[in-house]
Amino acid sequence: MSDTLTLSAQLRDRAGKGASRALRREGRVPAVIYGDKKDPEAIHIEERALNKLLGTGHFMNSIVEVEIDGKTVVTLPKDVAFHPVSDRPLHVDFLRITKGATVEVAVPVVFTNEEASPGLKRGGVLNVVRHELELVCDATNIPDEIEIDVTGTEIGDSIHISAVKLPKGSSSAITDRDFTIATIVAPSALKSSDGEAADEAGE
């Protein structure tokens, strides 16, 4: 599980585009905390501190404790808007988290033991269909990543969500189908040579 991250914030006393632009000129990023059947709180955070957390690579899957005027609000980042040219963060949405709450998150997939896959050793290619899995997790126990072992896979094999052992407390957010996460496909050269052989056999 990712470490809990912390951010200091201040309440925003003014809303609107002009106020937001003024904050950004001061190196601050407008943000909002919503959810838990409470009124949204408009806040602003230091851009440098936010960029540091964004640089961890798991900001969106981490619990973030936002400290406002001496009180701590436990949140989960739900969206970060970036400037289309400069890539600077423009706005952040945080969801309030309560004890025992579950959240839906996108968790990266990591494939292991590729050297133990006969299909890959023969020159097959791991074709990743989903680089992330949409999971429903305990808000305080979000996995950093999901490991998928490809030991024993052959060319033509598919890996479905039903074959993946998810961490305790996590389940797939997609429940209506046994979707494909990755397939082992033949390399292009192998496919073309097979096709030529089939053409010659048909003559």
Side-chain angles (χ1 to χ4, degrees):
M1 178 191 161
S2 302
D3 294 332
T4 298
L5 308 176
T6 59
L7 269 176
S8 294
Q10 293 176 312
L11 290 172
R12 269 191 286 160
D13 51 8
R14 291 186 302 140
K17 291 183 178 179
S20 294
R21 279 196 293 268
L23 283 170
R24 293 185 190 108
R25 282 196 296 270
E26 297 168 8
R28 311 289 295 182
V29 179
V32 66
I33 300 175
Y34 66 94
D36 194 25
K37 299 177 182 175
K38 297 177 183 176
D39 291 336
E41 286 183 283
I43 61 171
H44 56 92
I45 52 184
E46 186 186 25
E47 182 178 353
R48 189 169 54 183
L50 174 62
N51 281 330
K52 186 177 179 181
L53 299 192
L54 289 169
T56 64
H58 52 78
F59 178 69
M60 299 302 292
N61 287 344
S62 297
I63 297 296
V64 179
E65 293 184 348
V66 182
E67 299 170 354
I68 314 166
D69 295 339
K71 71 169 185 173
T72 299
V73 183
V74 181
T75 72
L76 180 73
K78 294 303 289 182
D79 187 50
V80 182
F82 293 96
H83 190 281
V85 177
S86 67
D87 217 28
R88 288 179 62 186
L90 298 177
H91 191 275
V92 188
D93 290 347
F94 294 98
L95 175 68
R96 289 188 191 94
I97 297 297
T98 53
K99 190 175 181 180
T102 57
V103 291
E104 186 172 324
V105 290
V107 180
V109 173
V110 175
F111 296 90
T112 62
N113 295 323
E114 293 186 24
E115 71 284 353
S117 162
L120 294 178
K121 287 177 76 173
R122 285 177 50 220
V125 177
L126 181 64
N127 176 42
V128 181
V129 179
R130 290 178 180 265
H131 292 274
E132 295 179 325
L133 297 181
E134 295 290 336
L135 301 181
V136 177
C137 313
D138 183 319
T140 58
N141 193 26
I142 301 171
D144 288 334
E145 59 190 27
I146 300 298
E147 288 192 0
I148 298 179
D149 190 338
V150 297
T151 298
T153 51
E154 296 279 2
I155 290 173
D157 285 351
S158 296
I159 300 167
H160 296 90
I161 185 63
S162 58
V164 178
K165 186 177 180 181
L166 296 174
K168 187 177 180 181
S170 298
S171 60
S172 174
I174 301 172
T175 58
D176 61 342
R177 61 190 184 279
D178 188 17
F179 59 85
T180 301
I181 300 169
T183 57
I184 312 296
V185 297
S188 301
L190 186 59
K191 283 182 181 174
S192 60
S193 63
D194 286 349
E196 288 166 8
D199 289 343
E200 289 171 7
E203 289 177 358

